[in-house]
């Protein structure tokens, strides 16, 4: 949002975007003109209209009709992970206009002639095939009762044992409470 302009991505439609109303700070404009490649991580969260706007902004800034202003676009992400955030009315609009809410539903994606490369080595669960298979079943929505039982065997209840591992919480307030408690345990200023 910072690079392509929050106003441009959130308040203008693709049809409204033009060289007269495009709001970009000079630094961002210079980057978008001079960069060779742009990397977008967590692409699963990018809506079709936002991807289309990125394409149009790059075309405007670089004064060309080449896809993405002639810039190489590299996207990473797991489409089983978080989908784009959209209200019900936005989902209906995006589905009507693009055929879906995801970046790959946009005309920009189709015109961009992207090449798909699948990364096949899982480094996070390397050596733990059972856990790897459980996580894959969960991401595919096929979690079994025995999977939950195996995961529950890994629960650590002693707060002192939790100090050195990453913890995930569903609500920010809970994470804030844990962070405050951990900070209070530090005997320094």
């Amino acid at each position: 949002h910072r690079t392509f302009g929050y106003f441009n991505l959130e308040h203008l439609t693709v049809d409204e975007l033009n060289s007269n109303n495009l709001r970009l700070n000079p630094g961002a404009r210079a980057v978008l003109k001079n960069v060779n490649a742009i990397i977008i991580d967590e692409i699963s969260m990018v809506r079709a209209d936002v991807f289309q706007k990125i394409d149009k902004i790059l075309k405007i800034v670089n004064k060309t009709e080449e896809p993405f202003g002639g810039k190489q676009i590299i996207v990473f992400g797991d489409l089983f992970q978080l989908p784009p955030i959209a209200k019900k009315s936005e989902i209906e609009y995006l589905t009507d206009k693009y055929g879906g809410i995801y970046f790959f539903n946009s005309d920009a994606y189709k015109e961009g002639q992207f090449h798909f490369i699948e990364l096949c080595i899982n480094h996070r669960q390397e050596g733990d095939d059972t856990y790897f298979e459980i996580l894959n079943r969960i991401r595919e929505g096929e979690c079994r009762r025995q999977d939950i039982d195996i995961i529950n065997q890994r629960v650590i209840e002693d707060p002192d044992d939790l100090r050195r591992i990453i913890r995930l919480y569903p609500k920010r307030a809970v994470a804030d409470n844990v962070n405050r408690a951990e900070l209070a345990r530090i005997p320094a200023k």
Side-chain angles (χ1 to χ4, degrees):
H1 279 78
R2 181 184 308 147
T3 302
F4 294 99
Y6 179 84
F7 178 82
N8 304 321
L9 297 179
E10 296 297 326
H11 296 290
L12 296 176
T13 66
V14 173
D15 295 331
E16 291 171 335
L17 269 171
N18 62 53
S19 58
N20 295 325
N21 64 7
L22 185 66
R23 292 187 192 174
L24 284 175
N25 71 49
R29 191 176 289 269
V31 166
L32 295 178
K33 275 186 174 181
N34 295 305
V35 71
N36 293 321
I38 295 170
I39 299 171
I40 303 174
D41 194 14
E42 301 297 351
I43 192 65
S44 70
M45 297 184 70
V46 177
R47 291 173 18 166
D49 60 335
V50 171
F51 205 62
Q52 195 71 37
K53 290 174 190 178
I54 289 170
D55 173 56
K56 189 157 185 185
I57 290 166
L58 287 167
K59 287 176 178 177
I60 292 169
V61 169
N62 291 286
K63 297 180 178 146
T64 179
E65 284 303 308
E66 286 184 76
F68 297 96
K71 305 302 179 179
Q72 181 181 22
I73 304 296
I74 303 167
V75 300
F76 288 96
D78 181 349
L79 297 180
F80 275 105
Q81 291 186 359
L82 293 172
I85 295 171
K87 298 174 190 158
K88 186 178 179 182
S89 61
E90 293 169 327
I91 291 170
E92 290 169 2
Y93 166 78
L94 293 169
T95 301
D96 183 53
K97 183 165 175 81
Y98 298 105
I101 65 172
Y102 288 92
F103 73 98
F104 57 77
N105 295 113
S106 69
D107 294 333
Y109 179 79
K110 295 166 189 155
E111 293 164 7
Q113 299 179 350
F114 284 81
H115 302 280
F116 180 80
I117 298 171
E118 183 176 0
L119 303 179
C120 300
I121 298 172
N122 184 315
H123 293 281
R124 287 186 181 158
Q125 287 80 38
E126 196 169 29
D128 192 345
D129 293 339
T130 301
Y131 192 51
F132 176 74
E133 290 167 10
I134 289 170
L135 291 178
N136 270 338
R137 282 193 291 276
I138 290 171
R139 72 195 288 266
E140 292 170 2
E142 299 175 6
C143 187
R144 304 178 308 206
R145 179 71 223 164
Q146 65 195 62
D147 295 335
I148 300 299
D149 293 340
I150 291 170
I151 289 173
N152 283 336
Q153 291 172 4
R154 296 180 179 211
V155 171
I156 298 172
E157 307 236 358
D158 183 356
D160 289 330
D161 289 340
L162 294 174
R163 287 193 59 118
R164 297 279 180 222
I165 64 172
I166 295 172
R167 292 174 273 175
L168 302 176
Y169 297 100
K171 299 202 182 261
R172 184 179 297 157
V174 177
D176 288 344
N177 288 338
V178 171
N179 287 337
R180 275 193 289 281
E182 290 296 319
L183 283 171
R185 292 176 68 174
I186 298 173
K189 193 171 182 180

